[in-house]
Amino acid sequence: MLDGGGKQGMRTQVAIVGAGPAGLMLGRLLEQAGIDAVIVERKSADYVLGRIRAGVLEWGSVDLLERAGVGRRMRAEGLVHHGTALSFDGDRLHIDFTGLVGRQVMVYGQTEVTRDLMAIRQGLTIYEAEEVELHDLDGQPAVTYRKDGVAHRIDCDFIAGCDGFHGVCRASVPQQALTTFERVYPFGWLGVLVDEKPVDDELIYAHHPRGFALCSQRSPTRSRYYVQVDAGERVEDWPDDRFWDELRRRLDPATAEALQTGASIEKSIAPLRSFVAEPLRFGRLFLAGDAAHIVPPTGAKGLNLALGDVAMLAPALVEALIERSSAGIDTYSARALQRIWKAERFSWWMTGLLHVFPDAGAFGRRIQRAEFDYLARSRAAQQSLAENYVGLP
Ligand code: APR
Ligand code: PHB
């Protein structure tokens, strides 16, 4: 079908921009409710699956995956973690999620969540869409793009901006309609993926005078490790041996000894940032996931927040499209932001406790140590950490 502008045209109820976990989960939840949605993604499916991202699911996210009908492989292959370890200058502290708050987390990679959501999707996903643009957000919205040199147009009732931090959706909102809040940290995480047995049954978050380190995992045979590096460091300057040496130095001696190293299968540096854009709605456009907010990875909240957003947005859109009630979409932004800011606070706090800040000085380091000692001796403090880590209701 050609529209007046000579573009290939189609119509859907919800045009979703971005096929990351937020876009794919939203598509799935709408599909389950009988709502038609088309996803437009800039990259190829293989590229999306090649990105290595976080791997810890709050139990609310686990339940959402189950409800969405994509829980089977997670149930079989995911690892239930009942706690986590913190280490401060070599002193270990165990945080017992189950004992403290009666809940757990599931270690299951974002790549796997994405793969499962891609596999179950019935609706149309347009990969490798170029020059994606949004139109008439206040009136009759549309998304246009080019694919294989041909211009396309999708008319829709609503647009969901699930296109990540660098996407086009937030950038399409007039600047004066958005307020943004940001903190950029003067360091990043250098991450390595390796096919070796994880060094511990649980994750280890380690503070060390040389910088933060994290021992994480994807499966019983695949591990993910990180070290804090200065902003501006380049991956090319970190051959595997240098990475392993640096990681060992930041771990307690027993853990360093037990570490099984090997050839990295992925290595990348991620900058750390806290960011929130408010509100999450502009006319008929709704932002969700990284398009609206970024957390530093220290609390493992990014993926969970993205899933939490769309778990709220999907029923609101269904209500608007089927029951013709705007109650859900009118309150989506305020409701989602409540949850987002709490996760922002927790991620900022955990980042502050565990990293080395170039300008903290001796006072700042003593405060970090006191915070750790308080945590080590206070059940209330541990409960607060655990409650946030496993996910607030
Ligand atoms: N047009 C279409 N698609 C786009 C555009 C664009 N202009 N810009 C970006 N995209 C796509 C990206 O290629 C990506 O596949 O949008 C998708 C956004 O996916 P994510 O970045 O994974 O964001 P989200 O789905 O919100 O998931 C958040 O990802 O970054 C992690 O820690 C974060 O775990 C969290 C999760
Ligand atoms: C990861 O496994 O990539 C991971 C785990 C926990 C975090 C951040 C990243 O807090």
Side-chain angles (χ1 to χ4, degrees):
M1 188 176 53
L2 286 179
D3 75 351
K7 288 187 165 75
Q8 296 281 335
M10 67 172 122
R11 211 200 127 70
T12 188
Q13 290 173 293
V14 182
I16 301 173
V17 184
L24 286 166
M25 179 57 88
L26 180 62
R28 175 61 188 160
L29 296 173
L30 293 175
E31 201 160 78
Q32 284 182 312
I35 301 289
D36 186 58
V38 173
I39 303 183
V40 181
E41 162 63 48
R42 185 169 59 173
K43 302 287 190 184
S44 68
D46 283 347
Y47 182 96
V48 171
L49 287 174
R51 289 192 295 231
I52 306 298
R53 298 275 181 83
V56 178
L57 295 175
E58 296 174 356
W59 217 258
S61 300
V62 170
D63 287 341
L64 179 66
L65 264 69
E66 294 284 6
R67 264 190 287 139
V70 285
R72 196 185 50 79
R73 208 159 61 91
M74 170 188 66
R75 229 177 298 126
E77 297 173 21
L79 306 168
V80 176
H81 279 205
H82 293 266
T84 191
L86 301 189
S87 141
F88 202 98
D89 297 349
D91 297 334
R92 281 277 286 255
L93 167 63
H94 183 244
I95 304 289
D96 172 11
F97 301 148
T98 305
L100 290 161
V101 293
R103 284 183 295 146
Q104 299 77 33
V105 294
M106 177 80 85
V107 170
Y108 189 64
Q110 176 168 328
T111 311
E112 307 314 316
V113 173
T114 308
R115 193 188 306 280
D116 296 343
L117 285 166
M118 276 181 181
I120 203 163
R121 179 164 171 75
Q122 309 278 307
L124 178 63
T125 309
I126 299 143
Y127 286 100
E128 301 180 290
E130 294 165 357
E131 298 170 36
V132 175
E133 287 178 25
L134 277 48
H135 307 272
D136 204 6
L137 300 177
D138 260 338
Q140 295 180 327
V143 173
T144 57
Y145 60 95
R146 295 184 77 81
K147 167 100 181 165
D148 302 325
V150 182
H152 295 262
R153 177 185 175 96
I154 307 173
D155 289 291
C156 55
D157 296 305
F158 296 107
I159 300 175
C162 301
D163 52 347
F165 184 65
H166 299 287
V168 65
C169 290
R170 194 181 69 254
S172 303
V173 176
Q175 234 180 5
Q176 68 275 11
L178 277 186
T179 307
T180 59
F181 304 84
E182 184 166 38
R183 171 151 304 189
V184 178
Y185 302 85
F187 41 74
W189 280 17
L190 168 62
V192 157
L193 191 67
V194 64
D195 275 327
E196 296 288 343
K197 186 178 177 298
V199 69
D200 201 287
D201 293 342
E202 295 179 344
L203 272 58
I204 304 173
Y205 289 86
H207 172 97
H208 184 274
R210 293 182 64 85
F212 169 76
L214 171 60
C215 304
S216 183
Q217 52 193 262
R218 290 288 180 278
S219 76
T221 57
R222 181 168 282 191
S223 307
R224 179 76 166 156
Y225 295 103
Y226 298 93
V227 294
Q228 173 187 352
V229 293
D230 289 343
E233 283 280 347
R234 298 173 335 146
V235 178
E236 304 81 73
D237 296 329
W238 285 89
D240 289 356
D241 285 349
R242 182 178 176 203
F243 177 86
W244 296 122
D245 287 346
E246 189 59 41
L247 177 62
R248 270 194 219 93
R249 293 175 81 162
R250 298 184 186 188
L251 302 174
D252 63 272
T255 306
E257 176 74 22
L259 186 69
Q260 302 205 6
T261 64
S264 63
I265 52 177
E266 197 267 354
K267 193 188 289 165
S268 53
I269 295 181
L272 263 67
R273 183 193 300 271
S274 298
F275 175 88
V276 182
E278 295 183 354
L280 305 181
R281 176 185 187 178
F282 180 76
R284 293 182 158 255
L285 166 69
F286 297 87
L287 300 176
D290 278 16
H293 44 74
I294 296 287
V295 286
T298 325
K301 291 289 165 236
L303 171 59
N304 293 294
L305 270 187
L307 294 175
D309 287 354
V310 298
M312 237 178 235
L313 181 56
L317 292 173
V318 172
E319 211 176 283
L321 287 163
I322 294 180
E323 296 161 32
R324 303 280 157 196
S325 156
S326 69
I329 55 172
D330 287 345
T331 55
Y332 162 70
S333 178
R335 285 182 294 133
L337 282 164
Q338 283 268 340
R339 193 164 171 278
I340 290 161
W341 273 112
K342 287 180 191 147
E344 289 285 343
R345 184 206 69 82
F346 176 66
S347 307
W348 162 85
W349 173 79
M350 208 158 151
T351 301
L353 170 65
L354 294 169
H355 289 74
V356 171
F357 288 75
D359 56 0
F363 179 84
R365 299 216 7 93
R366 284 287 198 280
I367 291 290
Q368 283 176 314
R369 179 72 220 190
E371 179 96 49
F372 180 80
D373 290 342
Y374 171 54
L375 204 53
R377 279 161 193 80
S378 164
R379 184 179 165 86
Q382 289 183 21
Q383 235 164 357
S384 168
L385 193 163
E387 179 182 42
N388 280 277
Y389 195 94
V390 303
L392 296 170

